[in-house]
Amino acid sequence: MHIMTNLLDKILDRQNMYQALKSVCSNKGASGVDGITIDEIDGYIRENWPRIKIEIEERCYKPQPVLRVEIPKPNGGTRNLGIPTVMDRIIQQAIVQVLSPIVDKEFSEFSYGFRPGRNCEMAIVRLLEYFNDGYLWVVDIDLEKFFDTVPQDKLMSLVHDIIDDPDTESLIRKFLQAGIMDKGEYQPSETGTPQGGNLSPLLSNIMLNELDRELESR
C-alpha cells in the first residue's frame, strides 16, 4: 500500500505542528535534557523552528537524547521512562497525528490500547460480552520490558510496509536512535523505543499487530 503524497509535508504543515504544540502543552510534563519547559517552548519555537524544519527536510535533524527517569511500578520494581525534550515531543506528536489514521486501518478490531476513539472500558465491555456468550477464560499477558527490547530493524520494516515514505521513516529512526541520558551519562539506544515518547504507543501497536493477527487466526 503506497500513500502517494509526501507524508513529511503533512507532518511539517503549520496547522499540524500547531495542533501538536497544543496537544503536548495540554499534557504538561517535565522538560527533557535541554531543560526547556512547556512555558518556554513558544519562545524557543519562534527562534528555532525555521532552522529545525529545514534540518528535518534535509534529513540532518538530530533529536536530543531522552532523559532516563525511573518510576515505581504498583507491584514493586521500577519502570524506565525516557522523556524527550518538549520540542522533540512536539515533532513526535506531529508524526503521530498524520500516521495514526493511516496505520489504524491496519490494526485488529479487537485491539483497544493507545488507539483513537478506543479505551480500556470498551475492552472490558467486549470481555463481558464474551462471558455472556459462555466463554470462561481470560489470559492476561504482560510482555516484560516490551518497550525497551523492541528490535528496531524489524519495527522499521513493519513501518515501511505500511507508510512507504523514506523521509518520514528516516525521521522516525532518528528518534529511535537518539540515545538515553542517564544520571548525566550518554547511552546509545540500539534496541527499543523509549516509553515516555509520543511515538512509542503508535510504534508498539505496529509491532504487536502481527501478534494480534496471529492470535485472531487461532
Side-chain angles (χ1 to χ4, degrees), residues 168-180:
T168 305
E169 291 167 43
S170 166
L171 183 58
I172 292 171
R173 193 180 272 277
K174 282 194 167 78
F175 279 113
L176 293 177
Q177 296 179 336
I180 298 154

Side-chain angles (χ1 to χ4, degrees), residues 68-83:
R68 165 65 50 84
V69 180
E70 290 184 0
I71 57 165
K73 283 158 77 164
N75 56 354
T78 58
R79 170 176 282 121
N80 287 334
L81 289 191
I83 312 295

Side-chain angles (χ1 to χ4, degrees), residues 10-193:
K10 289 186 173 180
I11 290 165
L12 299 177
D13 172 75
R14 188 183 173 87
Q15 196 52 44
N16 187 55
M17 289 304 303
Y18 179 66
Q19 193 57 48
L21 169 69
K22 280 202 327 195
S23 172
V24 168
C25 289
S26 71
N27 281 336
K28 305 211 168 30
S31 50
V33 292
D34 61 1
I36 291 168
T37 65
I38 293 283
D39 295 334
E40 295 163 341
I41 196 64
D42 270 356
Y44 180 85
I45 286 174
R46 265 196 288 277
E47 228 166 273
N48 294 281
W49 177 245
R51 167 186 62 81
I52 291 171
K53 185 173 187 229
I54 290 167
E55 285 178 1
I56 292 173
E57 288 168 346
E58 294 179 353
R59 292 202 195 180
C60 54
Y61 178 70
K62 277 182 78 85
Q64 299 196 62
V66 298
L67 186 63
R68 165 65 50 84
V69 180
E70 290 184 0
I71 57 165
K73 283 158 77 164
N75 56 354
T78 58
R79 170 176 282 121
N80 287 334
L81 289 191
I83 312 295
T85 64
V86 178
M87 188 69 243
D88 284 336
R89 295 210 291 275
I90 291 167
I91 297 167
Q92 288 191 25
Q93 179 60 27
I95 298 171
V96 168
Q97 287 166 187
V98 171
L99 292 197
S100 248
I102 296 166
V103 301
D104 205 69
K105 298 189 192 87
E106 306 290 316
F107 295 154
S108 162
E109 65 165 298
F110 304 105
S111 160
Y112 292 92
F114 303 122
R115 290 181 63 189
R118 289 171 172 248
N119 57 37
C120 191
E121 285 170 11
M122 293 161 82
I124 292 168
V125 168
R126 172 62 68 101
L127 210 56
L128 293 172
E129 287 168 3
Y130 287 145
F131 282 141
N132 290 335
D133 291 343
Y135 292 96
L136 302 175
W137 289 88
V138 173
V139 181
D140 180 15
I141 302 171
D142 184 13
L143 301 171
E144 188 178 7
K145 294 192 167 53
F146 170 71
F147 284 92
D148 296 336
T149 55
V150 167
Q152 292 178 359
D153 285 345
K154 172 68 175 166
L155 171 59
M156 287 311 302
S157 85
L158 294 170
V159 170
H160 170 73
D161 289 345
I162 300 174
I163 69 169
D164 193 5
D165 186 86
D167 290 335
T168 305
E169 291 167 43
S170 166
L171 183 58
I172 292 171
R173 193 180 272 277
K174 282 194 167 78
F175 279 113
L176 293 177
Q177 296 179 336
I180 298 154
M181 196 62 82
D182 188 6
K183 300 180 184 71
E185 288 207 356
Y186 175 82
Q187 300 170 358
S189 51
E190 284 150 4
T191 58
T193 170

